Structure formats: C-alpha cells, structure tokens
Amino acid sequence: MDEVAAAIADPVRREILLMLRDGPLSAGQIADRFVISRPAVSRHLRVLREAGLVRDTADGRRRVYTLVTAPLDELAGWLGRLMRPSGWQHRLDALETEVYRARRERQTAAGRHPSKKETA
C-alpha cells in the first residue's frame, strides 16, 4: 500500500492514471500531453509500473500502457476506514436522534405539533 500511495503522490502520475482510465495509450501519446521531457515521463511510467498501477506491453517498437486498478483496492479500503465516523460519532448521532424523537413525543402529547424550526 505504501508503494501505491507514494506512486500516486505525484500530480503527473495521477494525471497519467486518469489518462489511462479511458483506455491504453502508448508512451509517446502520454508524453505528448505533458510539457515535461519524454525521459521524465518515462521515469513516471516506471514508478507506476513498479507500483503495479500500470502494465506495459510491446507493440512493435512502441510501449503501450494499460491502467491496473487492483493495487488501489487496499488503499481505498484504508481510506474508507479513515473517512468512516468514529465509534463516538455513531453514538452521538443516535443520541441526537433520540433527543429529537423524545421532543416530538412530548409536544404531541401536549397537543401541539412541532414547527419545522423546532424539529430542525
């Protein structure tokens, strides 16, 4: 997961991954979309290949790159755990719901209906 995270830390490499999302591209097609040198693009492609995020195949003298998303699964799972509310947040949300429910029940029992402002 660390190698994948390091690979996508660079904005050029993230842009390459987005390009490959639409389909395979040759190294030359990828390099033509950047103002950086072809050797620099080649180094970025090597980092992505070593992280397992792209696969390259020979097509004559050209190298064609394809996106591989499987290595992102572990990173996405970890990020999902990070983004999920903590145990306390779930409990506080439940408490808030219970407070509003009890308030509505008291108001209904008193014979009046809560206004939108009171229930928000």
Side-chain angles (χ1 to χ4, degrees):
M1 179 174 70
D2 292 341
E3 191 172 316
V4 171
I8 65 173
D10 186 277
V12 171
R13 292 193 286 265
R14 289 194 306 268
E15 186 61 31
I16 291 170
L17 294 175
L18 289 173
M19 285 183 217
L20 294 173
R21 177 184 57 183
D22 297 330
L25 294 170
S26 70
Q29 290 171 310
I30 294 168
D32 288 344
R33 297 185 188 186
F34 291 99
V35 295
I36 60 176
S37 69
R38 285 181 180 258
V41 171
S42 180
R43 286 189 293 274
H44 285 296
L45 289 168
R46 186 183 70 234
V47 170
L48 292 171
R49 189 177 59 245
E50 289 172 355
L53 292 166
V54 298
R55 179 177 53 246
D56 66 325
T57 55
D59 181 19
R61 294 172 46 124
R62 299 179 334 148
R63 302 299 304 170
V64 177
Y65 289 85
T66 306
L67 178 64
V68 179
T69 58
L72 294 170
D73 292 341
E74 183 182 1
L75 182 58
W78 183 83
L79 289 170
R81 288 194 324 263
L82 181 66
M83 302 302 291
R84 210 174 318 137
S86 69
W88 275 108
Q89 186 61 48
H90 288 297
R91 290 179 179 98
L92 292 173
D93 289 346
L95 176 61
E96 180 182 30
T97 300
E98 185 60 26
V99 166
Y100 284 124
R101 186 189 64 73
R103 185 180 295 157
R104 279 193 309 273
E105 286 177 359
R106 278 196 313 265
Q107 290 171 343
T108 302
R112 59 176 225 163
H113 298 287
S115 69
K116 288 185 180 193
K117 185 176 180 183
E118 292 172 334
T119 60

